[in-house]
Amino acid sequence: MSVPSTDAVVIGAGFSGMYMLHRLRGLGLTTRLYERGDGVGGTWYWNRYPGARCDVESVEYCYSFSEELQQAWDWTERYPSQPEILRYAEHVADRFDLRRDMRFRTRVTRAAYDEATARWQVETDRGDRVSARFLITAVGCLSDARIPAFPGAASFRGESHHTGRWPHEEVDFAGRRVAVIGTGSSGIQIIPVIAERAAEVTVFQRTPNYTIPAWNRPMRPEYARWVKDNHAEMRRSMRGSPFGIAATFNPGSALEASEQERLDELEKRWAHGGPGFLGAFADTAVDPRANELVAEFVRGKIRQIVDDPRVAELLSPRDHPIGTKRPCFDTDYYATFNRPNVRLVDVRTAPIEEITATGIRTAAASYEVDTIVYATGYDAMTGPLLAIDITGTGGVPLRAKWAAGPRTYLGLMTAGFPNLFTITGPGSPSVLSNMFVSIEQHVEWIAGCLEHLARTGATVIEADPDAEDAWMRHVGEVAAQTLFPRADSWYLGANVPGKPRVFMPYAGGVGTYRATCDEIVAKGYEGFVLSP
Ligand code: N01
């Protein structure tokens, strides 16, 4: 039986897969897109937990490629809620008629490169087999949800949910005793919302996190108008910025500023809220003394907000510099611990030992609960890629090539895997940026590359192993200049037992990274091998 063929297979119908499909169509290429969910939206399809909201401002967290789309869509709040982002994804799918090339509820299980035909043979869990010239992964960086292997978890008789696999039906917390395990971005968003609905909430915290108020509010019409009129300029500056957001990053030093200047700047940014807080002083990212000044400012805020000094201290991060784990932005997080129905349990000193039929037992005590919320994170960046059995030239598995950590050239390709592109792959800024800026840059780079191949008559492109080695060295060197390696973060794979400890994203900034990618193209795809 002959296997159907297509020019490209795209994996994932999140914002990267949708835009990639649109651009491939523009190039006149046939595409089949596989998505394991039942609809578009990627991370926003799965993360339906109460309180889920993006912490990049809505007018910045959206596509810029279409003027009509930009003018047609109106955001209703400063930060977009999950339901609104999902509506936006569905609007985009309709507007560009994307669904006709998508196969939902279908997981790509295997992709093998066949050197004889220079094609990818792709298989799915529903028995599809398709041959494609190009394989493009749009699988997201945080899509492989992870629940730690707590003994006894299966015996729990109540309801339990991971934030990243939240049910489509409403979860009823009324009158319930709820446990939340995890205090990363997801935990910090869900805890205040559950606290308002549940009888009691017990938060199991291993590592306290720094969180900055988001100060969400309804969209101001005059600002929305200004953005529509000025978005081209705004987007240009975001693309050249360190993190792909519009907030201003002060090049000044926290150490050189006087105490009053420093406090004024931090107070101003705290009052404004959101990711711009960390842009107060450039040396926060690289100098531990500067970082400590900003970290202590946040601890001071915690002491002001939280009534019980013992709880305030437990909520105060002291084991990692601020900004070295993904920063969190909240609505009423610290104040939630003043509620009589909320308690904080330190599972650093007394770890969770077991989940029982009726609750959670730590090394110090037992807690009876009706519902467990796992806000325990993801096997980030490499997890979703390695979940697929991908084999390259000579039948080498990607899992083997990346056994000691991911290796890529620019986060876009990996040597030995011709015509495989990884949108926002490890080795690119990805999770250290506004994902929309990084997604559009990668999709446009890939589309430009495929156009170049067509124009020059090349059919195969592959990363050169030496260029890849040099890029990986550069990624490591840039990370080593920052304070990032000082935290046990998912950026380093530290949250997954046995995962190689490698700083995965590129910390050089999206503006610098984009310039590098453009320069490589201008030099005739330097570091890539193109063949007919
Ligand atoms: O996951 P996380 P997340 N026992 O890995 C704890 C994006 N995001 O879903 O720090 C006890 O950050 C773990 O403790 P520790 C964003 O990029 C964005 O919250 O490892 N606790 C930690 O507290 C974010 O960074 C948005 O000591 C255990 C928590 O679980 C990323 O997704 C919203 C444990 C996991 O935190 C992931 O965020 C949500 C154990 N055995 C997510 N294992 C917005 O845009 C883990 N933990 C707003």
Side-chain angles (χ1 to χ4, degrees):
M1 203 174 66
S2 77
V3 173
S5 75
T6 180
D7 291 320
V9 160
V10 174
I11 311 176
F15 286 111
S16 47
M18 290 204 288
Y19 183 34
M20 193 73 246
L21 169 59
H22 178 64
R23 291 302 295 248
L24 290 165
R25 277 198 196 149
L27 294 173
L29 298 175
T30 56
T31 305
R32 190 171 288 188
L33 183 150
Y34 292 109
E35 163 58 51
R36 68 191 157 136
D38 197 15
V40 297
T43 201
W44 301 105
Y45 171 91
W46 297 103
N47 280 268
R48 294 166 188 253
Y49 61 86
R53 185 181 290 285
C54 184
D55 52 23
V56 174
E57 296 204 13
S58 52
V59 295
E60 302 170 30
Y61 191 79
C62 51
Y63 290 120
S64 71
F65 71 84
S66 160
E67 180 64 25
E68 293 74 33
L69 173 63
Q70 171 74 32
Q71 296 303 332
W73 186 264
D74 296 312
W75 295 103
T76 64
E77 292 178 275
R78 179 179 179 188
Y79 301 94
S81 66
Q82 176 273 335
E84 189 166 30
I85 303 174
L86 195 56
R87 279 199 297 281
Y88 176 72
E90 286 165 355
H91 171 86
V92 170
D94 292 339
R95 172 175 283 268
F96 299 103
D97 186 23
L98 298 177
R99 287 190 180 84
R100 67 185 150 90
D101 290 321
M102 295 179 173
R103 302 281 185 283
F104 294 105
R105 294 185 300 282
T106 311
R107 183 192 292 270
V108 171
T109 50
R110 197 160 180 269
Y113 184 69
D114 175 25
E115 284 150 80
T117 56
R119 296 184 74 86
W120 283 93
Q121 308 300 327
V122 177
E123 293 174 22
T124 76
D125 62 347
R126 289 169 67 124
D128 307 63
R129 296 189 64 185
V130 62
S131 142
R133 273 182 66 205
F134 303 107
L135 176 63
I136 305 174
T137 63
V139 291
C141 299
L142 294 156
S143 49
D144 197 358
R146 198 188 147 263
I147 296 182
F150 295 119
S155 71
F156 182 61
R157 285 204 297 266
E159 241 184 289
S160 59
H161 304 288
H162 187 283
T163 48
R165 288 285 174 278
W166 202 259
H168 287 210
E169 311 73 49
E170 196 176 333
V171 176
D172 187 8
F173 292 110
R176 306 269 166 91
R177 298 163 302 171
V178 182
V180 180
I181 305 176
T183 51
S185 301
S186 305
I188 280 172
Q189 285 193 327
I190 201 171
I191 288 163
V193 182
I194 299 179
E196 284 181 0
R197 301 180 189 171
E200 62 181 58
V201 180
T202 309
V203 176
F204 294 83
Q205 171 190 274
R206 189 165 64 183
T207 311
N209 239 315
Y210 302 90
T211 169
I212 311 303
W215 305 128
N216 186 40
R217 57 171 178 251
M219 178 63 71
R220 293 182 175 143
E222 61 281 6
Y223 182 57
R225 185 69 259 156
W226 182 89
V227 170
K228 284 200 197 271
D229 292 343
N230 294 281
H231 83 96
E233 184 47 39
M234 184 178 114
R235 301 295 188 136
R236 225 186 334 275
S237 92
M238 284 161 60
R239 286 184 202 117
S241 71
F243 302 105
I245 57 176
T248 46
F249 280 75
N250 181 358
S253 157
L255 294 170
E256 284 167 19
S258 71
E259 188 177 0
Q260 198 53 51
E261 284 165 348
R262 193 175 67 243
L263 292 177
D264 288 350
E265 185 64 22
L266 291 171
E267 284 292 355
K268 188 178 84 187
R269 288 180 183 250
W270 182 273
H272 183 73
F277 179 80
L278 286 167
F281 298 102
D283 49 359
T284 310
V286 292
D287 188 320
R289 292 165 310 150
N291 189 288
E292 177 53 24
L293 294 172
V294 179
E296 186 48 32
F297 175 87
V298 176
R299 290 184 211 116
K301 290 288 183 194
I302 300 172
R303 290 190 290 272
Q304 272 171 21
I305 299 168
V306 178
D307 298 338
D308 180 339
R310 196 191 55 85
V311 176
E313 181 51 31
L314 204 49
L315 287 167
S316 297
R318 297 194 183 272
D319 75 330
H320 65 282
I322 186 167
T324 54
K325 287 190 165 205
R326 164 67 154 74
C328 301
F329 307 97
D330 69 279
T331 298
D332 298 334
Y333 179 67
Y334 293 128
T336 294
F337 291 91
N338 294 333
R339 295 178 65 107
N341 68 333
V342 177
R343 71 181 149 183
L344 183 62
V345 172
D346 175 16
V347 294
R348 169 74 62 198
T349 47
I352 295 173
E353 292 194 332
E354 186 191 14
I355 310 263
T356 65
T358 54
I360 295 177
R361 188 172 60 73
T362 71
S366 289
Y367 302 86
E368 300 276 299
V369 297
D370 306 304
T371 307
I372 300 177
V373 172
Y374 293 102
T376 45
Y378 298 85
D379 183 350
M381 306 200 74
T382 50
L385 289 166
L386 298 181
I388 307 166
D389 177 17
I390 300 176
T391 53
T393 310
V396 173
L398 188 62
R399 287 171 192 153
K401 183 180 169 187
W402 287 8
R407 301 197 63 76
T408 70
Y409 183 37
L410 301 172
L412 276 160
M413 298 197 87
T414 182
F417 295 77
N419 289 0
L420 166 66
F421 297 93
T422 48
I423 302 176
T424 65
S428 72
S430 61
V431 291
L432 298 182
S433 70
N434 172 358
M435 289 306 288
F436 264 94
V437 173
S438 289
I439 285 169
E440 285 194 328
Q441 189 242 337
H442 266 191
V443 168
E444 286 159 14
W445 193 96
I446 294 165
C449 172
L450 300 191
E451 211 173 353
H452 176 81
L453 296 185
R455 209 172 39 242
T456 56
T459 54
V460 177
I461 179 165
E462 186 178 351
D464 173 65
D466 292 337
E468 179 169 293
D469 288 347
W471 180 252
M472 292 324 296
R473 269 197 307 280
H474 177 60
V475 170
E477 281 160 11
V478 172
Q481 288 162 18
T482 70
L483 301 178
F484 278 122
R486 299 191 181 205
D488 287 333
S489 69
W490 58 254
Y491 295 143
L492 278 151
N495 63 326
V496 178
K499 188 166 173 170
R501 209 181 162 97
V502 173
F503 190 79
M504 295 181 284
Y506 176 58
V510 296
T512 313
Y513 172 78
R514 175 184 294 268
T516 304
C517 290
D518 291 349
E519 200 180 307
I520 283 166
V521 172
K523 289 184 180 163
Y525 288 87
E526 186 178 56
F528 291 96
V529 182
L530 281 70
S531 35

